[in-house]
Amino acid sequence: MDSATQRKWDEASRTYDFFTFGEDRRLGQHKQRLFSKARGETLLVAAGTGNDFKFFPPGMHITGIDISPQMIERARRKAASYSGRIDLAVKDACNLDIPDSSFDTIVTVFTFCSVPRPIVGLKELHRVLKPDGQLLMMEHVRSAFGPLGVMMDLLTPLSRRLGPELNRDTIGNVQKAGFRLRRVENAYLDVVKIIEAVHATAPEVKNEAGVIS
Amino acid sequence: MKQLAPIAFTVGDYLIGAAIGVVTAIVVRLAISPGLDMVIGMLVGTAIGLIVQALLGLILSPVLGLMETMVPGMLIGMYGGMLFGMRDSMGAGSRTLLAAAAVGALFGVIVVLGVKIYDRCLRGIVLDAT
């Protein structure tokens, strides 16, 4: 377990709900739309204080993990009000003690801006995702717009101390970890992205027009 | 009632943009005297803008959303600070503090508008292989 990261997010758990209040309301509809695609056994990585539980369809079985025990403690209260089953556990995304091919769906929300070794973490998700499973992500990434991207680079050393990094190439990292992109959508500028991916080895499908994807 | 929230966010975006512009313009005006080397004025202005947007962003982002506050805030604070620093080192335009503040507010509002237009252009599906 990465104790420095654990300490950082334990500290952040006290003010987490306050700082994510606006973001939840602005991006909530996107989360709800993304989470509606979840099916089967679902893993929510970096569950935080459980703010995102309410965006899942009712009746699911969700395993929520977070590196911070303080976050998980706060999440327990919100899990109790979800109309389905949520199991919570303290786990490091880079070192999941979970058997291979355990989940049908893995969900992350603003997670891989903060995981210190993103490709290692994504490879762990790849390992615990079933071969026909799906990865659903909402992540913020570095903007490709020059003036904005440069500023994100400049501010990242500061933002890293408080929480996330601003200049991650999460789409590239997802592919490096062995996933194939199924769908990518810009939710805010080219900074907040909704990413859907599957195992790179998953069978390709033909759409109605006969185009192989 | 459902329509109120997005409108409130939109108004809030413009208000915080104007606020970051005003505070940046005022602090830069107070910190940079005419005659200061323009390059130094530009660098000091940029640094001031960076600090102002980070502080105001930290205070207001819980209400308006982190990214929606930070992205225009960065553009207003850093590039606005740079421009205001150059202007004030040359002693050109906006002779009073009030005028400088008004230009700061205008700059903030224009940047927020630009970011919203850019968001409209970029938003949506960029890859669909389903």
Side-chain angles (χ1 to χ4, degrees):
Chain A
M1 193 73 77
D2 180 346
S3 57
T5 304
Q6 196 172 51
R7 269 199 308 278
K8 182 168 90 171
W9 290 105
D10 272 347
E11 284 285 318
S13 69
R14 290 182 218 155
T15 52
Y16 190 80
D17 285 358
F18 174 70
F19 278 105
T20 54
F21 177 86
E23 203 70 82
D24 273 359
R25 274 140 196 86
R26 291 193 92 141
L27 296 173
Q29 58 177 343
H30 291 293
K31 290 181 191 177
Q32 201 152 26
R33 190 161 46 86
L34 180 68
F35 290 13
S36 70
K37 296 180 178 180
R39 55 176 167 74
E41 288 294 317
T42 298
L43 174 68
L44 174 62
V45 183
T49 60
N51 281 341
D52 292 333
F53 296 160
K54 59 182 174 285
F55 299 119
F56 278 100
M60 295 194 67
H61 180 206
I62 300 160
T63 302
I65 61 164
D66 202 285
I67 196 166
S68 158
Q70 297 293 324
M71 290 277 194
I72 288 292
E73 202 46 50
R74 288 166 199 272
R76 287 194 197 288
R77 289 170 227 157
K78 291 170 192 166
S81 61
Y82 173 70
S83 59
R85 183 177 152 198
I86 298 179
D87 298 324
L88 295 167
V90 176
K91 288 189 193 297
D92 184 346
C94 293
N95 187 19
L96 296 170
D97 51 344
I98 295 172
D100 294 358
S101 305
S102 294
F103 294 99
D104 300 289
T105 302
I106 298 178
V107 178
T108 76
V109 176
F110 298 149
T111 301
F112 281 90
C113 49
S114 304
V115 172
R117 294 174 294 153
I119 297 174
V120 173
L122 284 160
K123 281 184 175 169
E124 272 293 86
L125 300 194
H126 188 273
R127 181 181 66 77
V128 301
L129 183 67
K130 289 178 182 173
D132 60 346
Q134 57 176 348
L135 175 64
L136 306 176
M137 311 175 87
M138 176 181 273
E139 298 285 343
H140 62 80
V141 301
R142 185 187 189 278
S143 174
F145 176 53
L148 189 54
V150 169
M151 283 191 296
M152 293 174 124
D153 292 337
L154 287 172
L155 282 174
T156 290
L158 177 69
S159 70
R160 188 186 291 136
R161 291 175 180 274
L162 301 169
E165 297 196 0
L166 302 174
N167 61 352
R168 289 274 174 95
D169 172 23
T170 300
I171 289 184
N173 291 342
V174 165
Q175 291 170 296
K176 283 176 194 162
F179 289 99
R180 188 177 76 236
L181 299 173
R182 188 173 70 181
R183 193 169 180 279
V184 179
E185 181 182 337
N186 289 333
Y188 177 64
L189 296 167
D190 62 344
V191 174
V192 178
K193 290 194 181 278
I194 294 169
I195 304 162
E196 297 177 32
V198 293
H199 276 245
T201 52
E204 293 174 330
V205 291
K206 276 187 180 178
N207 63 20
E208 286 174 359
V211 177
I212 295 173
S213 58
Chain B
M1 281 297 283
K2 280 185 179 175
Q3 290 299 315
L4 280 178
I7 292 168
F9 282 131
T10 302
V11 172
D13 289 341
Y14 283 108
L15 287 178
I16 190 177
I20 292 171
V22 166
V23 175
T24 303
I26 289 173
V27 177
V28 169
R29 170 58 60 93
L30 296 175
I32 293 173
S33 311
L36 184 73
D37 186 283
M38 196 171 78
V39 174
I40 294 172
M42 185 187 81
L43 292 173
V44 171
T46 304
I48 288 171
L50 175 68
I51 294 165
V52 166
Q53 72 86 19
L55 290 176
L56 284 180
L58 200 64
I59 294 166
L60 294 168
S61 65
V63 180
L64 293 171
L66 181 66
M67 285 296 151
E68 292 83 352
T69 306
M70 196 183 62
V71 170
M74 283 194 297
L75 292 165
I76 297 162
M78 292 177 74
Y79 291 106
M82 183 191 298
L83 293 171
F84 302 151
M86 289 165 70
R87 177 194 64 191
D88 291 345
S89 68
M90 291 189 291
S94 299
R95 293 192 175 186
T96 65
L97 190 64
L98 188 65
V103 171
L106 180 66
F107 183 80
V109 167
I110 289 171
V111 170
V112 171
L113 176 65
V115 169
K116 285 188 179 296
I117 292 170
Y118 191 47
D119 179 43
R120 282 285 178 95
C121 298
L122 291 177
R123 199 177 278 224
I125 297 164
V126 290
L127 182 150
D128 192 353
T130 53

